[in-house]
Amino acid sequence: AAYMSPEQVVGKPVTFRSDLFSLGIIACEMVIGRNPFRGENIEITSQCILNMKIKSSHFPVSTPSALRKWILRALEKKPERRFNSTEEAADALAKVMTGLPRELDRPLSGWLKATFTGVPFTDSPVWETKKMFRAGAITGAVCMFIVGAGLMYLLGPRIWG
């Protein structure tokens, strides 16, 4: 329930814009480290989805403003205020990625070990670890979006007519 769009919470039909809202939640969670709408139970979670407005100030200062704007647009409560298509959302996210680091300069095995064990990198400076986390979070969000957009492209006509 913590990844539902406001229209899903109230039982309205879902569209690709509902999926964009869910993707916005995932992207927000990757950047701030938690799902901003998750409550102690489904009722509180539903109320948070319907009423809580995510603001730019919720993001770490180091979050690029273009990424904040992308996430905030995906999390608009009114579906018509979100992106007009998955293609528009993908293009906007690609522009956000321009100039941001896309490669991890530490061995992948060390990064995975730190991710799964919770043991931080001791051989890299704090700023570099944060940069790697941010790059990984952004890359993960892009991958999730591409997979979601591909599925919507392939299955969308069957689901939404």
Side-chain angles (χ1 to χ4, degrees), residues 84-96:
N84 294 317
S85 68
T86 54
E87 182 180 6
E88 179 187 0
D91 288 344
L93 191 56
K95 287 179 184 171
V96 169

Side-chain angles (χ1 to χ4, degrees), residues 12 40 46 48 56 58 64 70 92 107 134:
K12 291 183 180 176
E40 295 175 15
S46 296
C48 288
S56 191
H58 287 106
W70 190 94
R134 190 170 42 244

Side-chain angles (χ1 to χ4, degrees), residues 48-81:
C48 288
I49 290 170
L50 292 172
N51 301 311
M52 188 168 73
K53 175 86 169 150
I54 304 299
K55 299 177 183 170
S56 191
S57 61
H58 287 106
F59 297 96
V61 176
S62 61
T63 307
S65 64
L67 180 58
R68 290 180 201 198
K69 289 176 185 175
W70 190 94
I71 293 171
L72 293 174
R73 185 165 179 197
L75 292 177
E76 284 286 347
K77 300 296 184 192
K78 294 181 180 180
E80 63 274 8
R81 296 192 66 182

Side-chain angles (χ1 to χ4, degrees), residues 11-133:
K12 291 183 180 176
V14 297
T15 66
F16 70 91
R17 286 187 167 121
S18 305
D19 293 335
L20 289 174
F21 188 90
S22 299
L23 182 63
I25 294 172
I26 293 168
C28 186
E29 185 173 15
M30 293 175 86
V31 172
I32 68 172
R34 63 180 177 77
N35 183 320
F37 301 115
R38 187 178 304 280
E40 295 175 15
N41 56 49
I42 194 165
E43 291 83 16
I44 293 172
T45 298
S46 296
Q47 287 305 309
C48 288
I49 290 170
L50 292 172
N51 301 311
M52 188 168 73
K53 175 86 169 150
I54 304 299
K55 299 177 183 170
S56 191
S57 61
H58 287 106
F59 297 96
V61 176
S62 61
T63 307
S65 64
L67 180 58
R68 290 180 201 198
K69 289 176 185 175
W70 190 94
I71 293 171
L72 293 174
R73 185 165 179 197
L75 292 177
E76 284 286 347
K77 300 296 184 192
K78 294 181 180 180
E80 63 274 8
R81 296 192 66 182
R82 296 179 206 143
F83 295 98
N84 294 317
S85 68
T86 54
E87 182 180 6
E88 179 187 0
D91 288 344
L93 191 56
K95 287 179 184 171
V96 169
M97 292 295 295
T98 302
L100 293 177
R102 294 186 184 198
E103 72 278 339
L104 299 174
D105 53 359
R106 294 281 184 233
L108 183 58
S109 61
W111 184 70
L112 288 172
K113 180 180 178 186
T115 301
F116 290 113
T117 63
V119 177
F121 282 117
T122 55
D123 63 338
S124 67
V126 173
W127 66 268
E128 196 169 293
T129 302
K130 288 180 181 178
K131 181 174 111 179
M132 288 175 32
F133 173 78

